[in-house]
Amino acid sequence: MIKLNLRLDFQNPIGTATKMLYGGLVEHLGRCVYGGVYDPADPQADEEGFRKDVMATMRELKIAVARYPGGCFTDLWCWEDGVGPHRKARLDPAWKQLEPNTFGLHEFVHWCRKCEIEPMVTLNLSLRDALDAARLVEYCNFPGGTELSEQRKANGDSNPFGIKYFCLGNELYAPWEFGQCPPETYAVRARECAKVIKAISPDAKCLLCGCGYDNDWNRKVLEICYDHVDALSLHFGFGSNDPDEAFYHTLYVHEKTLRECADIIEAIRQSRKSERRVGIAIDEWIIWNGDDKAKGSLPYTVGMHLLEEDYSIREVLLCGAFLSRFLHGHCDCVDLACVAQLVNVIAPVRTAPGGVLWRQGNFYPMAYAARYGCGKSLRLSDLPQDLQASAILAENGELAVFVTNLHKEPCNMNLELGGGVAKGLLEAVTLHCEDEKAFNTPERSPLCPQKLTEAALTAKGDSVMATLPAHSWSCIRLNTQLAL
Ligand code: AHR
C-alpha cells in the first residue's frame, strides 16, 4: 500500500488554471468532421447537419476552445473552397483523403456557437503566405464594405465571426509537413503574418509555431517574432504503443522541454526589456501510436476510419497525470491547451452512424478537470513517485483534488486541509479497471467513474482519508471557507 500525505499550500499558488486549458482539435481528418461533428444523414443531425449528441457531449466536456481545421490538414487547406454555395472537392495529400469542403469556416463558427466554444483557426503558412492569411482574417472579422466581408455576408453571416485566436501554421519544423522549412524562414513569414492580422483585427491573439522537442527552433523563432505574438505553441505526443514505463516517462521528458522553453521566453523578454508576456499554448496534446500507416490510401475517399484508437485504463491514467502535472502544475506559463482530437480521431468521444455515441475512459478526467479545475492551482507537498496530483481552489471556495495513482498498488491518501477551512465533502469518485485491456464500446463502459464507497472514505473536520485503488484516477471535491 502506497502512502500519500497531501498537504496543500493555500498561500502561494502556482498560478491560475483557466477554462482555456480545456480545449480540443477539430481536424479534417478521418471521421472527426465528416461522420463525427457533421453528418447531415444521421438521425441526430440538426438543421445544419451537426450531430446534436456530439454537441451535447462537447458541452458536457466543457470544451472552451476548438482549434480548426488542423493539424497537418492545414498544409494544403484553401479556406475559400469551403465557403459559399459552390464548394470545391479537393484532394488532401496530408492524410490521403478526399475533402468535399461541405464543412468550412461558416459551419465551424456556427458549430462553435452552438457548443459555446471559442473558435481558433490555424492559418496555412505551409504552402500559402501572409497575404492569404490576411484575406481570411478580413473575410471572417471585418464588419463590411470590402469585397471579402461583403462576400461573408452574402454567404449568410452578416455579423463578423469575431475569431480571436489564430495559429501561425502547424508543425513547420517537421519532416512530415508539406511546407517544412528552416526556423528563420518560417519566423519571418509568421512575424509578417502576425503584423497584418493585428492591423486588421487588433484584438487577435497570434500563436507562433514552436516545437515540442527542439528548443533551438523555439529560441530562433521567438527571437524574430517575440514582439508580435501572444503565445508559443507546443505539441506534446505520447505513444500509445509504447511500453508502460516509456509511456508514462514521456511526461517527464516533455516537462523538461516545457520548463526550458519557459526559461527561454523569459530570457528573451528580459534581454529586450519587454513588458510583453508571451505564454505557452499546448494546442495539441496527443495520445497516439503515431503510425503513419494509419493514413488513408488510394482511392482517396471522404470520412475514412483513421486513427480511431480504443483507449484503456493506461490512457485514462496518462490523461489524468497530464492534466495534473502539466496543465495544473505549469499554469504559471501554460495559457491554453487542446487535446488532439475531440471526436473519433484519437478522441474522448466516438460515434457510429445512426445516432450512436460513446465516451472513452479518458473523457472523464477531462470532463472533471474542465468542470472543477478552474481557479488557483495550489502547491502540494512532495508526491511519491508514480503519483500525480493537483488541487484547484475555485473562486466560490470549492476545492477539487485530482489524484492519479500510476502504481500497481492501492494508495492510502490522507488529505489535511488544516486551519478549520473544510465545510464538507461534495463528491469523491474514482475510475479504475482491473482488466488492463478493457475499453468502452457503444454497449459497455467498463471505464467509468464510480463513487468512492464509505469503506474507502472518511471525511472528518479538516481531513479526508481515502483508499484509492491501484492504477486509478480520482477526484475529491470539498467545500471550503476560502472563497477568493
Ligand atoms: O492530431 C494528429 C496530428 O498530429 C495532427 O494533424 C498534427 O498536427 C500532429 O502531428
Side-chain angles (χ1 to χ4, degrees):
M1 181 81 79
I2 311 290
K3 289 242 176 304
L4 173 63
N5 285 315
L6 219 49
R7 284 187 311 279
L8 309 183
D9 175 356
F10 289 98
Q11 302 306 324
N12 180 25
I14 297 167
T16 302
T18 73
K19 64 178 188 172
M20 297 305 273
L21 295 183
Y22 311 115
L25 173 61
V26 175
E27 178 162 6
H28 282 251
L29 199 182
R31 297 192 315 118
C32 182
V33 172
Y34 302 110
V37 163
Y38 179 75
D39 192 352
D42 195 87
Q44 280 287 341
D46 75 358
E47 65 292 347
E48 290 188 275
F50 307 150
R51 276 187 67 149
K52 287 183 268 188
D53 51 352
V54 171
M55 289 193 286
T57 322
M58 292 299 118
R59 285 191 290 264
E60 192 185 328
L61 202 48
K62 275 191 150 293
I63 292 298
V65 55
R67 181 171 183 253
Y68 170 87
C72 302
F73 172 80
T74 321
D75 290 348
L76 282 99
W77 181 52
C78 294
W79 61 271
E80 303 88 333
D81 295 340
V83 301
H86 306 294
R87 304 296 172 100
K88 298 187 179 89
R90 299 273 186 213
L91 291 185
D92 162 34
W95 294 106
K96 299 195 180 142
Q97 343 170 73
L98 191 77
E99 174 50 59
N101 278 309
T102 45
F103 187 96
L105 276 171
H106 289 259
E107 289 76 21
F108 172 61
V109 169
H110 295 179
W111 183 78
C112 284
R113 284 182 189 151
K114 287 180 175 175
C115 300
E116 295 164 45
I117 290 177
E118 179 87 45
M120 174 156 93
V121 169
T122 310
L123 300 164
N124 180 352
L125 287 194
S126 302
L127 299 180
R128 302 192 83 184
D129 60 20
L131 179 61
D132 298 300
R135 300 277 195 249
L136 180 152
V137 178
E138 181 182 327
Y139 182 89
C140 291
N141 285 359
F142 200 69
T146 66
E147 190 193 335
L148 288 168
S149 52
E150 291 302 319
Q151 205 179 316
R152 181 200 66 240
K153 290 185 187 176
N155 289 337
D157 275 286
S158 50
N159 291 322
F161 293 153
I163 296 172
K164 204 165 151 193
Y165 292 88
F166 293 98
C167 302
L168 306 173
N170 183 71
E171 297 183 352
L172 279 105
Y173 49 83
W176 55 82
E177 293 290 325
F178 299 109
Q180 183 194 10
C181 60
E184 297 80 3
T185 311
Y186 163 69
V188 170
R189 200 184 306 155
R191 181 191 63 201
E192 298 312 300
C193 187
K195 278 159 61 181
V196 77
I197 290 174
K198 287 177 185 238
I200 298 171
S201 205
D203 294 336
K205 305 269 178 221
C206 293
L207 277 61
L208 185 66
C209 170
C211 178
Y213 55 81
D214 182 357
N215 271 326
D216 273 348
W217 167 284
N218 295 335
R219 185 179 293 102
K220 285 177 181 153
V221 297
L222 279 163
E223 267 161 5
I224 295 174
C225 298
Y226 193 91
D227 297 332
H228 303 278
V229 297
D230 302 280
L232 181 78
S233 121
L234 297 178
H235 292 177
F236 289 122
F238 301 88
S240 51
N241 278 352
D242 288 354
D244 277 4
E245 209 180 310
F247 185 54
Y248 298 128
H249 182 72
T250 317
L251 269 173
Y252 306 107
V253 177
H254 290 331
E255 186 175 45
K256 189 164 171 282
T257 310
L258 175 76
R259 275 331 311 184
E260 281 171 9
C261 186
D263 290 346
I264 290 170
I265 295 176
E266 180 55 16
I268 295 178
R269 189 188 70 76
Q270 286 186 16
S271 72
R272 298 169 111 83
K273 300 191 175 48
S274 173
E275 296 283 299
R276 184 181 198 84
R277 179 181 181 282
V278 171
I280 292 178
I282 304 176
D283 59 9
E284 282 193 43
W285 59 274
I286 317 164
I287 307 179
W288 176 28
N289 67 33
D291 186 357
D292 215 36
K293 292 197 249 359
K295 287 185 178 176
S297 53
L298 295 172
Y300 287 19
T301 49
V302 183
M304 285 180 271
H305 285 261
L306 302 178
L307 284 69
E308 296 194 17
E309 290 198 15
D310 296 317
Y311 290 150
S312 61
I313 188 67
R314 67 186 216 132
E315 284 82 20
V316 177
L317 301 185
L318 194 277
C319 182
F322 179 83
L323 290 160
S324 281
R325 186 165 188 118
F326 249 73
L327 301 190
H328 300 162
H330 297 286
C331 65
D332 56 326
C333 61
V334 178
D335 294 346
L336 181 153
C338 294
V339 65
Q341 308 196 357
L342 282 174
V343 189
N344 285 330
V345 175
I346 41 174
V349 176
R350 303 277 294 276
T351 66
V356 178
L357 177 145
W358 68 104
R359 293 157 186 75
Q360 298 230 64
N362 67 331
F363 178 92
Y364 298 100
M366 290 170 58
Y368 269 78
R371 194 158 293 272
Y372 305 115
C374 292
K376 297 282 176 223
S377 177
L378 306 180
R379 286 179 204 279
L380 307 174
S381 51
D382 284 346
L383 294 165
Q385 232 199 341
D386 289 339
L387 274 161
Q388 303 296 346
S390 55
I392 304 289
L393 182 63
E395 270 185 17
N396 63 1
E398 280 186 23
L399 175 72
V401 178
F402 305 94
V403 184
T404 303
N405 180 10
L406 299 170
H407 230 277
K408 290 195 169 147
E409 281 180 54
C411 158
N412 238 336
M413 183 186 83
N414 183 19
L415 173 67
E416 288 289 343
L417 297 191
V421 298
K423 282 201 332 200
L425 186 70
L426 291 167
E427 187 183 11
V429 292
T430 192
L431 197 170
H432 70 112
C433 183
E434 271 160 31
D435 178 355
E436 287 182 6
K437 295 206 163 28
F439 54 86
N440 292 353
T441 66
E443 293 78 32
R444 285 187 64 240
S445 294
L447 300 170
C448 202
Q450 310 290 333
K451 270 190 177 175
L452 269 173
T453 60
E454 277 180 27
L457 186 77
T458 329
K460 233 193 248 157
D462 266 357
S463 71
V464 177
M465 280 186 296
T467 307
L468 308 176
H471 262 188
S472 63
W473 164 88
S474 309
C475 174
I476 295 175
R477 297 176 45 234
L478 296 146
N479 235 330
T480 75
Q481 297 172 348
L482 292 169
L484 299 173

